[in-house]
Amino acid sequence: MHVILVTGGAGFIGSNFVLNWLANQQEPVVVLDKLTYAGNPDNLAHYQNDPRLQLVVGDIGDRALVEGLLSQHQPRAVLNFAAESHVDRSIHGPADFIETNIVSTFSLLESVRGYWQNLAEPARQAFRFLHVSTDEVYGSLSDTAPAFTEQHRYEPNSPYSASKAASDHLVRAWHHTYGLPVLTTNCSNNYGPYHFPEKLIPLMILNALNGKALPVYGDGKNVRDWLYVVDHCRAIERVLAAGQVGETYNVGGCNEKTNLEVVHTLCDILDELQPRADGASYREQIRFVQDRPGHDRRYAIDASKIIEQLGWTPQESFETGIRKTVEWYLSHPEWVEKVQSGAYREWLGKQYAE
Ligand code: NAD
Ligand code: TYD
């Protein structure tokens, strides 16, 4: 029986990937996750007694641990979701981003290279290292510029995107120099269940329900392309199964929205599903606040390569996906309660003090 190793599998996208994988396949998964503030074993609770899932708490930069896991489980693939992922946190404190996204990714690549080089054929031929990255490495687009293709040059603007860009370059180099069979995906903004509420969509849902301000940065006209997380997970499965070694694939939802449009949509769905006691709209809680430094204006993904070459398409529209997401937060009060811990409240105090 084959096995896959998923790093960062207790985070938002990683846990959705693992849940989706175990629901649809027999192949076991070993999750390696450091359980930072963003990692949450509760996300995987549904499979906690399933022998196909093993959660190992540790750092991708721990050579001894990673090499031990590789040698013990002999995975046919390593999927790297582990990262520091929040732009605002990278502005307050870039060091963790440099450490995990660059230094520890380098260490992971070295561990994996050593393992892969010693595999016997045909396992060596079949092995894949799939690196999950972001569209933010391409920088910011004007309102009318064409969407990012895989050929777009790297122009990262935040400490987060610069650290992800560096990791993408390392992955590329480990393929070109050492022949490591890598695949890279660059995805747009994900949303859906288990999203840690520091990011726009879950933050707005929870702030609305808690009667707090809905803090929209700047003029609210920054544009993001939104992809339902399960569609992203399906894309990663497809790239793992059929992607060409050494290639990168852009993944997007074809759902460009301004932040204000997103917040309005969330307010309207909440007005319908859980109206405010006073009958007013949640839109009344919207507040325009100081802009994020260096705030990228627009991201847009041209996903034609993965659509045409690998036959992937998103199944969820923004309208269906965002409704499912709000419904998920309303129907999981225990998860919501637990993630709003002291550390989370500390972050809100730091970021939204004014
Ligand atoms: P997340 O912050 O929710 O989860 C990251 C996970 O990685 C957490 O479980 C954390 O504990 C773990 N982790 C952090 N440092 C680690 C380390 N050194 N060793 C082991 N585990 C570690 O992030 P996410 O939103 O799930 O993003 C997953 C990946 O997808 C990241 O690489 C991110 O850059 C990329 N991405 C995210 C989005 C998005 O919209 N969220 C979009 C495109 C790409
Ligand atoms: P975010 O979810 O942090 O993702 P990213 O910065 O990686 O795209 O933010 C999405 C957009 O929402 C981004 O343009 C910043 C904006 N935003 C706000 O306006 N208010 C907020 O409180 C947050 C967290 C984000």
Side-chain angles (χ1 to χ4, degrees):
M1 176 61 99
H2 290 305
V3 178
I4 59 168
L5 176 65
V6 174
T7 71
F12 164 49
I13 304 175
S15 64
N16 274 283
F17 180 85
V18 171
L19 296 176
N20 196 54
W21 181 273
L22 293 174
N24 296 311
Q25 331 232 7
Q26 285 311 310
E27 188 174 353
V29 179
V30 177
V31 168
L32 171 62
D33 198 296
K34 192 177 172 183
L35 298 185
T36 67
Y37 77 91
N40 184 350
D42 290 350
N43 297 2
L44 301 170
H46 183 75
Y47 290 102
Q48 66 187 351
N49 297 319
D50 190 315
R52 293 174 303 153
L53 174 65
Q54 186 180 339
L55 170 61
V56 178
V57 180
D59 196 310
I60 57 167
D62 182 339
R63 287 287 294 268
L65 173 70
V66 175
E67 287 170 15
L69 285 175
L70 292 169
S71 127
Q72 181 190 347
H73 296 284
Q74 300 280 306
R76 69 167 175 105
V78 174
L79 290 85
N80 184 31
F81 295 81
E84 289 292 335
S85 68
H86 189 33
V87 173
D88 291 326
R89 284 188 194 253
S90 83
I91 295 168
H92 282 284
D96 286 348
F97 289 73
I98 305 306
E99 194 56 44
T100 284
N101 299 357
I102 306 179
V103 180
S104 295
T105 304
F106 152 71
S107 173
L108 176 66
L109 281 165
E110 280 295 81
S111 303
V112 171
R113 179 165 76 92
Y115 162 71
W116 166 76
Q117 277 175 337
N118 288 318
L119 283 175
E121 295 297 357
R124 191 171 190 274
Q125 193 74 32
F127 181 81
R128 297 289 181 269
F129 179 87
L130 191 152
H131 180 62
V132 178
S133 192
T134 167
D135 59 358
E136 305 193 23
V137 297
Y138 298 125
S140 183
L141 292 169
S142 71
D143 290 345
T144 51
F148 302 126
T149 66
E150 290 79 0
Q151 276 70 49
H152 198 283
R153 74 175 206 204
Y154 272 39
E155 291 179 318
N157 292 317
S158 71
Y160 163 66
S161 55
S163 68
K164 289 296 291 187
S167 71
D168 292 8
H169 291 324
L170 291 173
V171 170
R172 176 189 159 90
W174 261 240
H175 172 63
H176 280 266
T177 306
Y178 304 111
L180 187 69
V182 307
L183 298 156
T184 299
T185 55
N186 293 85
C187 185
S188 60
N189 286 57
N190 284 219
Y191 67 100
Y194 305 105
H195 206 179
F196 190 77
E198 63 187 356
K199 306 276 170 67
L200 179 75
I201 287 180
L203 180 93
M204 293 295 167
I205 296 172
L206 299 193
N207 273 18
L209 294 171
N210 291 332
K212 292 192 193 160
L214 307 180
V216 173
Y217 298 162
D219 62 5
K221 292 193 180 136
N222 299 67
V223 172
R224 298 291 182 264
D225 169 61
W226 292 97
L227 177 68
Y228 191 65
V229 63
V230 179
D231 278 327
H232 183 199
C233 296
R234 289 178 39 255
I236 291 170
E237 279 191 22
R238 195 68 204 119
V239 171
L240 178 65
Q244 241 190 315
V245 165
E247 291 291 310
T248 66
Y249 296 89
N250 282 356
V251 188
C254 298
N255 281 310
E256 280 189 61
K257 306 275 175 210
T258 66
N259 293 337
L260 204 51
E261 283 174 312
V262 171
V263 176
H264 282 160
T265 303
L266 291 170
C267 289
D268 296 349
I269 296 173
L270 284 169
D271 285 342
E272 182 195 324
L273 299 181
Q274 189 137 316
R276 269 173 45 156
D278 64 1
S281 169
Y282 287 101
R283 288 190 184 207
E284 304 224 334
Q285 289 165 231
I286 295 173
R287 299 287 178 274
F288 290 91
V289 301
Q290 196 181 358
D291 209 353
R292 170 188 280 173
H295 196 175
D296 282 340
R297 191 64 175 172
R298 173 173 166 247
Y299 305 138
I301 280 270
D302 179 341
S304 26
K305 181 174 174 183
I306 187 171
I307 291 170
E308 284 160 21
Q309 295 186 9
L310 303 185
W312 170 86
T313 46
Q315 289 180 352
E316 216 68 61
S317 69
F318 186 69
E319 289 64 35
T320 58
I322 198 78
R323 182 170 284 270
K324 273 190 188 173
T325 303
V326 174
E327 285 169 349
W328 188 87
Y329 280 86
L330 290 174
S331 60
H332 290 78
E334 281 164 24
W335 186 92
V336 165
E337 171 73 28
K338 240 170 135 179
V339 296
Q340 291 178 299
S341 65
Y344 174 65
R345 286 197 296 274
E346 223 171 86
W347 165 251
L348 293 187
K350 189 166 167 184
Q351 172 67 5
Y352 300 99
E354 320 84 62

mmCIF file of all heavy atoms in Angstrom, residues 68-86:
data_model
loop_
_atom_site.group_PDB
_atom_site.id
_atom_site.type_symbol
_atom_site.label_atom_id
_atom_site.label_comp_id
_atom_site.label_asym_id
_atom_site.label_seq_id
_atom_site.Cartn_x
_atom_site.Cartn_y
_atom_site.Cartn_z
ATOM 1 N N GLY A 68 13.614 10.436 9.431
ATOM 2 C CA GLY A 68 13.075 9.251 10.102
ATOM 3 C C GLY A 68 11.699 8.893 9.554
ATOM 4 O O GLY A 68 11.406 7.718 9.286
ATOM 5 N N LEU A 69 10.856 9.901 9.360
ATOM 6 C CA LEU A 69 9.503 9.645 8.848
ATOM 7 C C LEU A 69 9.554 9.093 7.428
ATOM 8 O O LEU A 69 8.800 8.175 7.066
ATOM 9 C CB LEU A 69 8.671 10.938 8.844
ATOM 10 C CG LEU A 69 8.156 11.427 10.194
ATOM 11 C CD1 LEU A 69 7.468 12.783 10.044
ATOM 12 C CD2 LEU A 69 7.178 10.396 10.768
ATOM 13 N N LEU A 70 10.434 9.669 6.610
ATOM 14 C CA LEU A 70 10.545 9.213 5.218
ATOM 15 C C LEU A 70 11.006 7.763 5.180
ATOM 16 O O LEU A 70 10.447 6.931 4.445
ATOM 17 C CB LEU A 70 11.517 10.112 4.442
ATOM 18 C CG LEU A 70 11.035 11.549 4.201
ATOM 19 C CD1 LEU A 70 12.172 12.423 3.678
ATOM 20 C CD2 LEU A 70 9.860 11.574 3.216
ATOM 21 N N SER A 71 12.000 7.469 6.014
ATOM 22 C CA SER A 71 12.524 6.105 5.977
ATOM 23 C C SER A 71 11.519 5.109 6.566
ATOM 24 O O SER A 71 11.364 3.996 6.070
ATOM 25 C CB SER A 71 13.894 6.110 6.644
ATOM 26 O OG SER A 71 13.979 5.185 7.630
ATOM 27 N N GLN A 72 10.766 5.545 7.562
ATOM 28 C CA GLN A 72 9.779 4.644 8.181
ATOM 29 C C GLN A 72 8.583 4.379 7.259
ATOM 30 O O GLN A 72 8.145 3.247 7.104
ATOM 31 C CB GLN A 72 9.288 5.281 9.492
ATOM 32 C CG GLN A 72 8.284 4.444 10.254
ATOM 33 C CD GLN A 72 7.647 5.235 11.414
ATOM 34 O OE1 GLN A 72 8.116 6.315 11.786
ATOM 35 N NE2 GLN A 72 6.571 4.695 11.965
ATOM 36 N N HIS A 73 8.060 5.448 6.636
ATOM 37 C CA HIS A 73 6.794 5.297 5.889
ATOM 38 C C HIS A 73 6.983 5.106 4.390
ATOM 39 O O HIS A 73 6.048 4.717 3.700
ATOM 40 C CB HIS A 73 5.889 6.504 6.144
ATOM 41 C CG HIS A 73 5.454 6.634 7.579
ATOM 42 N ND1 HIS A 73 4.477 5.837 8.120
ATOM 43 C CD2 HIS A 73 5.876 7.438 8.587
ATOM 44 C CE1 HIS A 73 4.312 6.145 9.408
ATOM 45 N NE2 HIS A 73 5.155 7.119 9.705
ATOM 46 N N GLN A 74 8.161 5.438 3.872
ATOM 47 C CA GLN A 74 8.444 5.264 2.444
ATOM 48 C C GLN A 74 7.341 5.876 1.553
ATOM 49 O O GLN A 74 6.750 5.176 0.719
ATOM 50 C CB GLN A 74 8.594 3.774 2.113
ATOM 51 C CG GLN A 74 9.727 3.099 2.885
ATOM 52 C CD GLN A 74 11.093 3.379 2.246
ATOM 53 O OE1 GLN A 74 11.298 3.137 1.058
ATOM 54 N NE2 GLN A 74 12.009 3.904 3.017
ATOM 55 N N PRO A 75 7.010 7.164 1.748
ATOM 56 C CA PRO A 75 5.909 7.741 0.961
ATOM 57 C C PRO A 75 6.241 7.802 -0.521
ATOM 58 O O PRO A 75 7.407 7.961 -0.895
ATOM 59 C CB PRO A 75 5.761 9.143 1.540
ATOM 60 C CG PRO A 75 7.095 9.461 2.116
ATOM 61 C CD PRO A 75 7.643 8.162 2.628
ATOM 62 N N ARG A 76 5.205 7.699 -1.346
ATOM 63 C CA ARG A 76 5.392 7.826 -2.791
ATOM 64 C C ARG A 76 5.339 9.293 -3.200
ATOM 65 O O ARG A 76 5.663 9.662 -4.333
ATOM 66 C CB ARG A 76 4.323 7.044 -3.544
ATOM 67 C CG ARG A 76 2.934 7.648 -3.409
ATOM 68 C CD ARG A 76 1.960 7.062 -4.406
ATOM 69 N NE ARG A 76 0.621 7.562 -4.171
ATOM 70 C CZ ARG A 76 0.042 8.483 -4.937
ATOM 71 N NH1 ARG A 76 0.674 9.011 -5.963
ATOM 72 N NH2 ARG A 76 -1.182 8.876 -4.673
ATOM 73 N N ALA A 77 4.881 10.158 -2.251
ATOM 74 C CA ALA A 77 4.830 11.598 -2.543
ATOM 75 C C ALA A 77 4.880 12.382 -1.243
ATOM 76 O O ALA A 77 4.409 11.918 -0.210
ATOM 77 C CB ALA A 77 3.541 11.944 -3.281
ATOM 78 N N VAL A 78 5.477 13.576 -1.327
ATOM 79 C CA VAL A 78 5.437 14.540 -0.224
ATOM 80 C C VAL A 78 4.722 15.774 -0.756
ATOM 81 O O VAL A 78 5.094 16.314 -1.801
ATOM 82 C CB VAL A 78 6.861 14.914 0.251
ATOM 83 C CG1 VAL A 78 6.809 16.038 1.294
ATOM 84 C CG2 VAL A 78 7.571 13.693 0.824
ATOM 85 N N LEU A 79 3.672 16.189 -0.053
ATOM 86 C CA LEU A 79 2.927 17.391 -0.452
ATOM 87 C C LEU A 79 3.172 18.450 0.598
ATOM 88 O O LEU A 79 2.839 18.255 1.776
ATOM 89 C CB LEU A 79 1.425 17.091 -0.560
ATOM 90 C CG LEU A 79 1.031 16.198 -1.732
ATOM 91 C CD1 LEU A 79 1.172 14.726 -1.363
ATOM 92 C CD2 LEU A 79 -0.400 16.461 -2.154
ATOM 93 N N ASN A 80 3.756 19.574 0.195
ATOM 94 C CA ASN A 80 4.178 20.588 1.165
ATOM 95 C C ASN A 80 3.198 21.755 1.248
ATOM 96 O O ASN A 80 3.249 22.681 0.449
ATOM 97 C CB ASN A 80 5.578 21.097 0.803
ATOM 98 C CG ASN A 80 6.084 22.087 1.842
ATOM 99 O OD1 ASN A 80 5.745 21.983 3.023
ATOM 100 N ND2 ASN A 80 6.882 23.053 1.409
ATOM 101 N N PHE A 81 2.322 21.689 2.268
ATOM 102 C CA PHE A 81 1.408 22.802 2.563
ATOM 103 C C PHE A 81 1.947 23.663 3.700
ATOM 104 O O PHE A 81 1.410 24.747 3.952
ATOM 105 C CB PHE A 81 0.040 22.282 3.028
ATOM 106 C CG PHE A 81 -0.766 21.515 2.011
ATOM 107 C CD1 PHE A 81 -0.512 20.175 1.763
ATOM 108 C CD2 PHE A 81 -1.796 22.125 1.323
ATOM 109 C CE1 PHE A 81 -1.271 19.453 0.848
ATOM 110 C CE2 PHE A 81 -2.565 21.415 0.401
ATOM 111 C CZ PHE A 81 -2.306 20.076 0.168
ATOM 112 N N ALA A 82 2.954 23.179 4.423
ATOM 113 C CA ALA A 82 3.403 23.871 5.637
ATOM 114 C C ALA A 82 3.995 25.230 5.295
ATOM 115 O O ALA A 82 4.869 25.341 4.435
ATOM 116 C CB ALA A 82 4.456 23.023 6.359
ATOM 117 N N ALA A 83 3.487 26.264 5.961
ATOM 118 C CA ALA A 83 4.009 27.613 5.740
ATOM 119 C C ALA A 83 3.420 28.548 6.773
ATOM 120 O O ALA A 83 2.410 28.243 7.409
ATOM 121 C CB ALA A 83 3.624 28.111 4.340
ATOM 122 N N GLU A 84 4.080 29.681 6.935
ATOM 123 C CA GLU A 84 3.422 30.831 7.568
ATOM 124 C C GLU A 84 2.670 31.508 6.431
ATOM 125 O O GLU A 84 3.242 31.753 5.367
ATOM 126 C CB GLU A 84 4.465 31.778 8.177
ATOM 127 C CG GLU A 84 5.148 31.233 9.416
ATOM 128 C CD GLU A 84 4.205 31.118 10.610
ATOM 129 O OE1 GLU A 84 3.195 31.855 10.653
ATOM 130 O OE2 GLU A 84 4.471 30.282 11.491
ATOM 131 N N SER A 85 1.385 31.830 6.648
ATOM 132 C CA SER A 85 0.553 32.164 5.485
ATOM 133 C C SER A 85 -0.180 33.505 5.548
ATOM 134 O O SER A 85 -0.888 33.837 4.603
ATOM 135 C CB SER A 85 -0.480 31.050 5.278
ATOM 136 O OG SER A 85 -1.419 31.057 6.341
ATOM 137 N N HIS A 86 -0.027 34.271 6.629
ATOM 138 C CA HIS A 86 -0.858 35.483 6.715
ATOM 139 C C HIS A 86 -0.049 36.756 6.470
ATOM 140 O O HIS A 86 0.886 37.070 7.214
ATOM 141 C CB HIS A 86 -1.531 35.529 8.085
ATOM 142 C CG HIS A 86 -2.561 36.618 8.207
ATOM 143 N ND1 HIS A 86 -3.338 37.045 7.150
ATOM 144 C CD2 HIS A 86 -2.940 37.373 9.266
ATOM 145 C CE1 HIS A 86 -4.146 38.009 7.552
ATOM 146 N NE2 HIS A 86 -3.918 38.229 8.827
#
